[in-house]
Amino acid sequence: MRRLWRLNPRTVDRLVGGLIWAAAVSTLLILLFVIVYVSANGFPRLSWGFLTGKPQNMGRAGGIWPMIVSTAAISAMAVLIATPVGVATAIYLTEYTRESLLTRAIRFGTEALAGIPSIIFGLFGFVFFVVYLGLGWSLLSGALTLSLMILPTIVRTSEEAILTVPRAYREVSFSLGASRWQMVTTVVLPGALPGITTGVVLGLGRTVSETAAVILTAGSALHLPRSIFAPGRTMAVHFYILAREGLSDNMAWATGAVLLLSILLINVVINRALVALVRRRAVR
Amino acid sequence: MDRPKFEIRDLSYYYGSNRALHRVSLEIPANAITVLFGPAGGGKTTLLRLLNRLNDLVPGTRLEGRILLDGKDIYSPDVDVPALRRRVGMVFALPLPLPMSILENVTYGPRLSGLKNSKRLLEIAEKALRGAALWDEVRDRLHEPALSLSGGQQQRLCLARVLALEPEVILLDEPTSGLDPISTAKVEESLKALKKNYTIVIVPHSVQQAARLADVAAFLLMGELVEYGPGPRLFTRPQDKRTEDYITGRFG
Amino acid sequence: MKEKLIEAVLLGLALTAILSLFVITAFILQAGLPLLISYGPWRFLTGLTWAPTEGEFGILPMLVGSLWVTVGALLFGVPLGLAVAIFAAEYAPSWAAVAMRPAIQLLAGIPSVIYGFIGLKILVPLIRDNLGGPGLSVLAGSLVLAVMILPNVIAISEDAIRAVPQTYRDGALALGATHWQTIWRVVLPAARSGIVAAIVLSMGRAVGETMAVIMLVGNSLRLPISPLDPATTLTSNIGLEMGYASGAHRQALFATGIVLFVLIMALNSLASLFRRRPASA
């Protein structure tokens, strides 16, 4: 009986191969669809005035200049805070210590942090930065919360990048009288820079697209923030509010298009960094 | 004869439970080339790397005995290790220029010790490159990447990089193993010229090279020092059967 | 001296991650635990009614909602993601494998709110008109989440598949197995633990996702039965109500956060357990 319906392995092979190609193609199509759909709905409504104007009537009209400023400020701060901490962690783990209970604790902390959902970061940022430290809903609270979110990404990519620097270079540096820190700054960091950049840019992308953690910590004030202690509304939050509350689909899509464009640009930067990394390796 | 540069006293060294050197005692004279030779795994490279404490970087090792440089124990706790490594420079088996320009490579050591004056750095670079017989080949391309040089040039660059430290001792670990005969000859010429001013310790890549260079030769076999003495004597009239067997090519 | 100082500073910065994890845990617990205890953990977890104004905080409907949406997301996302991973590691010509990487990365980079809104505009009407129900449903949430977990599933399983030694494949092919037989009988079993890790980790991602889910599941507080029913999840409830909650209500949201936190930590620990295990035949 079984033999009757059992297919020839060659036929199965072709069939499955076709399905697998189809899966890959449909994944690309999903991506393409998202980009085209947002662009088609958003770009026709983009204008110079939209980018530089203030929102009017809760965002039903006007522009998104305050959101662009808030997004840029929060993302920049988050990256500026997380990068030194993340790179220092990676340097400590790779250059200053051998595997021990301590390094395992640090790795565990980093890994666990990476798994925490953004809404939990939002809750934490709210009770800790907004309420406990008294920073209020502010760009700073948002940035501090996001910096914790992207810290694991920066640690991981920096560590990987540092490990690509050949061991021999470290020996040469030491043999010429370098202290450990001199070795790190003259040999390890220059070699790892492209990889570290990739991680930082990846983190930057996450801060731009994050919504849940930001809305709970930076608030959703519509006006232009005057200081890092003022609340602000990022593009992603603005998009969410416009879309969810049905205020204006048109304005939502226009905001979405700017948001997507930012993400695309950031990703192009990542690829640049990757290419640079590959080139460096080829030279070696 | 003057006091020896290095005095190695009853030195044993372990990687974990693996013994790499066993009760080696040896004196390395100043202003001469000392050759450490013997079959692979004999402990030559380990001994070399102990002389500037480069093996500090290897985890799980243990050292017994003493190594004195100018009468001072280099493993005593108050030693400034980077400073020691500037006094005792090292050239590795493979040419390992750092991914920087030729000039930056040569001036790497002096820059580490805080020298910033670019005119002074250039002077040091020229002197070092002349010492390594490389100046004429690279004087017009100092700012090109060091990796653009040929293998032989790269190795002489590494030698120049050590010379720029103005060290007292130069350690060389099979420095010509990756080079063609012409480049090898050039490196050997430089070494012979340099021994007037430096103490040189080299692990050669062949017995022939050992014989060509040795003022003093030490034969290491499985972590033990079998025999050492003036090079010409040791290579013509070895006193130990094992040394003779190795030199005449009966094993190794 | 300077070196010692530098090392101390680096160590201090390196402790940030573990320290923040500790502070995060402490503050979430402190904000939510009092209510969880006074209300009763069992009553909290199994209560069917969430009525903050009346002091009722039962989260069973949200637990079920999260479970439904997550299972649905895995059902659609895992087979597709695994297929793409197999494609990238075993089928793709090198130019295609190279082109896939940034595409997958981009897919992961698109903000969840954008996925949510597209789902709202396209999937929701499609479901309502063709399958019935309000459209805003478990199914809509699952489908969009499936796309959102794809990059995760693909990246981790691809790594696992690539880690299988080439000799395994050569051995099977030499015995006359077809390409697919080799993958199915040799490569996938050897990559099993990595693939399981990918699934478990994606499960964590799906449970934790908030904004897209808020926009798609309809946020009904009733227990969802069919995939076409609207639902609320643990995350969507927090996201929706945090903006105006106060007092016991806010505490109850933090208590929900604790449940979510514990759930995610458990899933991630499970995943790393699988991930550490080396690939074996």
Side-chain angles (χ1 to χ4, degrees):
Chain A
M1 262 311 279
R2 283 184 69 192
R3 266 174 198 278
L4 272 179
W5 57 264
R6 194 180 251 184
L7 288 165
N8 175 347
R10 301 252 157 255
T11 321
V12 175
D13 198 48
R14 292 187 159 210
L15 215 67
V16 176
L19 281 175
I20 281 176
W21 271 90
V25 170
S26 39
T27 301
L28 291 183
L29 282 180
I30 291 173
L31 175 66
L32 205 65
F33 175 79
V34 169
I35 294 173
V36 169
Y37 190 79
V38 174
S39 307
N41 280 295
F43 281 120
R45 289 159 187 128
L46 278 189
S47 67
W48 188 243
F50 179 76
L51 292 175
T52 58
K54 278 190 282 190
Q56 281 148 22
N57 198 3
M58 300 297 284
R60 286 187 191 86
I64 58 165
W65 176 242
M67 290 80 199
I68 293 177
V69 172
S70 296
T71 308
I74 288 181
S75 296
M77 278 195 286
V79 165
L80 282 179
I81 298 165
T83 304
V85 179
V87 175
T89 305
I91 292 174
Y92 185 78
L93 287 174
T94 50
E95 307 295 333
Y96 277 81
T97 180
R98 305 195 194 292
E99 287 304 312
S100 66
L101 203 65
L102 182 70
T103 60
R104 256 183 286 159
I106 294 170
R107 274 181 222 283
F108 168 79
T110 316
E111 216 174 288
L113 221 50
I116 295 177
S118 57
I119 187 84
I120 300 277
F121 275 106
L123 286 179
F124 165 73
F126 175 74
V127 275
F128 188 71
F129 296 121
V130 175
V131 178
Y132 183 76
L133 294 186
L135 296 174
W137 278 302
S138 62
L139 300 186
L140 185 60
S141 297
L144 286 166
T145 309
L146 288 181
S147 69
L148 290 181
M149 270 182 76
I150 61 171
L151 182 60
T153 311
I154 295 182
V155 173
R156 192 165 357 96
T157 46
S158 304
E159 217 185 321
E160 279 168 16
I162 287 173
L163 290 176
T164 62
V165 177
R167 232 182 80 94
Y169 286 173
R170 293 175 172 83
E171 283 210 333
V172 167
S173 178
F174 278 128
S175 79
L176 292 168
S179 68
R180 195 166 283 272
W181 181 243
Q182 285 179 322
M183 184 278 290
V184 167
T185 49
T186 58
V187 172
V188 171
L189 285 182
L193 202 60
I196 293 175
T197 312
T198 310
V200 170
V201 174
L202 214 61
L204 182 68
R206 270 194 80 189
T207 63
V208 170
S209 61
E210 179 51 37
T211 313
V214 189
I215 200 170
L216 293 179
T217 52
S220 55
L222 269 169
H223 52 77
L224 190 70
R226 287 290 166 201
S227 86
I228 58 170
F229 299 104
R233 183 190 282 200
T234 63
M235 288 192 285
V237 171
H238 189 54
F239 173 83
Y240 167 72
I241 290 174
L242 291 179
R244 190 179 138 63
E245 298 186 357
L247 290 172
S248 162
D249 279 8
N250 285 348
M251 288 293 145
W253 284 126
T255 311
V258 179
L259 191 56
L260 194 67
L261 195 67
S262 321
I263 298 289
L264 282 170
L265 282 177
I266 290 170
N267 269 279
V268 169
V269 174
I270 292 187
N271 285 328
R272 277 278 165 80
L274 281 176
V275 168
L277 181 71
V278 171
R279 275 213 195 112
R280 271 188 93 95
R281 281 209 189 137
V283 169
R284 279 174 189 168
Chain B
M1 198 169 162
D2 297 336
R3 166 164 215 165
K5 192 73 185 167
F6 271 111
E7 291 163 78
I8 298 161
R9 293 199 187 145
D10 210 15
L11 182 74
S12 295
Y13 192 73
Y14 303 84
Y15 293 99
S17 57
N18 238 337
R19 192 176 63 199
L21 291 172
H22 182 54
R23 308 197 64 167
V24 172
S25 290
L26 183 66
E27 292 181 352
I28 294 172
N31 299 39
I33 298 180
T34 300
V35 167
L36 307 176
F37 74 107
K44 304 160 290 180
T45 298
T46 298
L47 180 56
L48 201 69
R49 289 167 60 97
L50 291 177
L51 297 180
N52 72 346
R53 294 191 58 171
L54 208 56
N55 252 32
D56 285 13
L57 306 171
V58 182
T61 57
R62 191 158 54 84
L63 177 136
E64 291 162 4
R66 307 217 291 162
I67 300 176
L68 308 182
L69 173 60
D70 289 338
K72 281 201 183 139
D73 188 345
I74 61 169
Y75 280 86
S76 88
D78 61 333
V79 167
D80 177 351
V81 179
L84 167 74
R85 292 185 184 138
R86 282 195 290 273
R87 287 176 69 195
V88 184
M90 173 92 154
V91 178
F92 296 87
L94 291 171
L96 280 168
L98 294 168
M100 317 168 172
S101 74
I102 294 170
L103 184 63
E104 283 167 331
N105 261 282
V106 181
T107 57
Y108 183 78
R111 284 187 290 129
L112 287 178
S113 39
L115 187 61
K116 292 203 177 74
N117 183 331
S118 58
K119 195 164 153 256
R120 179 84 192 97
L121 285 171
L122 199 63
E123 285 167 17
I124 291 176
E126 178 174 344
K127 189 167 166 232
L129 288 166
R130 283 189 191 282
L134 189 61
W135 174 252
D136 292 333
E137 291 160 61
V138 300
R139 58 191 306 169
D140 301 322
R141 44 193 289 213
L142 290 175
H143 295 283
E144 284 176 32
L147 291 154
S148 67
L149 296 173
S150 74
Q153 289 173 324
Q154 287 187 10
Q155 193 59 309
R156 276 178 285 147
L157 176 66
C158 294
L159 181 59
R161 195 169 57 185
V162 170
L163 294 179
L165 294 169
E166 302 189 327
E168 298 158 33
V169 183
I170 304 173
L171 311 174
L172 303 106
D173 184 8
E174 301 193 27
T176 58
S177 59
L179 304 186
D180 59 85
I182 295 168
S183 304
T184 301
K186 278 190 179 170
V187 172
E188 288 181 9
E189 279 315 304
S190 321
L191 292 179
K192 281 181 182 162
L194 288 167
K195 75 178 178 189
K196 284 185 217 82
N197 303 317
Y198 300 90
T199 303
I200 294 175
V201 187
I202 179 170
V203 173
H205 86 272
S206 66
V207 178
Q208 292 75 12
Q209 187 175 45
R212 282 198 299 270
L213 292 173
D215 295 313
V216 175
F219 178 59
L220 284 153
L221 183 64
M222 294 165 68
E224 289 184 49
L225 179 67
V226 174
E227 172 170 6
Y228 90 101
R233 203 264 303 140
L234 192 137
F235 285 102
T236 48
R237 279 173 288 120
Q239 289 171 349
D240 193 291
K241 181 82 170 62
R242 289 170 292 174
T243 316
E244 189 182 342
D245 286 350
Y246 182 70
I247 292 171
T248 53
R250 247 166 260 170
F251 75 95
Chain C
M1 204 43 230
K2 189 182 157 212
E3 285 291 314
K4 286 277 164 223
L5 187 71
I6 289 169
E7 183 167 352
V9 170
L10 288 174
L11 172 61
L13 291 173
L15 289 176
T16 307
I18 184 82
L19 216 67
S20 344
L21 183 68
F22 181 74
V23 176
I24 290 172
T25 314
F27 270 80
I28 301 275
L29 285 180
Q30 169 258 326
L33 216 48
L35 182 117
L36 197 62
I37 290 167
S38 68
Y39 190 78
W42 186 248
R43 204 168 138 221
F44 186 73
L45 288 173
T46 58
L48 280 168
T49 320
W50 176 273
T53 46
E54 290 143 43
E56 282 297 335
F57 303 110
I59 62 164
L60 188 63
M62 302 160 204
L63 271 173
V64 174
S66 283
L67 180 75
W68 267 120
V69 172
T70 302
V71 168
L74 293 180
L75 227 53
F76 297 113
V78 169
L80 183 58
L82 200 53
V84 178
I86 294 172
F87 172 80
E90 301 284 336
Y91 282 83
S94 61
W95 61 266
V98 168
M100 287 299 278
R101 290 227 158 205
I104 301 301
Q105 203 174 36
L106 195 53
L107 206 61
I110 290 173
S112 57
V113 282
I114 287 187
Y115 281 119
F117 199 39
I118 294 179
L120 184 67
K121 288 288 158 193
I122 295 175
L123 281 179
V124 169
L126 219 61
I127 292 172
R128 184 180 54 221
D129 299 343
N130 295 303
L131 301 172
L136 291 166
S137 59
V138 170
L139 182 64
S142 298
L143 283 170
V144 171
L145 272 183
V147 174
M148 293 178 65
I149 62 170
L150 265 184
N152 240 302
V153 179
I154 296 171
I156 303 172
S157 356
E158 189 188 333
D159 283 349
I161 293 171
R162 282 189 192 279
V164 176
Q166 185 60 34
T167 47
Y168 286 31
R169 297 181 183 87
D170 295 344
L173 291 171
L175 292 172
T178 63
H179 192 179
W180 174 246
Q181 282 173 326
T182 306
I183 293 168
W184 184 248
R185 302 237 178 96
V186 178
V187 176
L188 290 184
R192 186 179 45 213
S193 60
I195 293 170
V196 173
I199 296 171
V200 178
L201 219 59
S202 307
M203 207 189 273
R205 277 284 141 82
V207 173
E209 171 51 38
T210 309
M211 301 323 260
V213 176
I214 288 183
M215 296 166 101
L216 293 166
V217 294
N219 306 309
S220 142
L221 285 167
R222 270 210 303 237
L223 202 64
I225 308 295
S226 127
L228 298 176
D229 284 347
T232 305
T233 66
L234 297 170
T235 53
S236 68
N237 193 51
I238 299 172
L240 276 173
E241 299 191 355
M242 209 31 221
Y244 58 84
S246 62
H249 184 192
R250 182 181 280 176
Q251 286 188 3
L253 294 178
F254 275 91
T256 313
I258 295 176
V259 175
L260 183 65
F261 191 66
V262 171
L263 206 64
I264 300 271
M265 281 305 193
L267 285 174
N268 288 337
S269 314
L270 197 66
S272 61
L273 213 66
F274 277 107
R275 231 179 165 177
R276 273 204 199 105
R277 198 176 298 166
S280 57

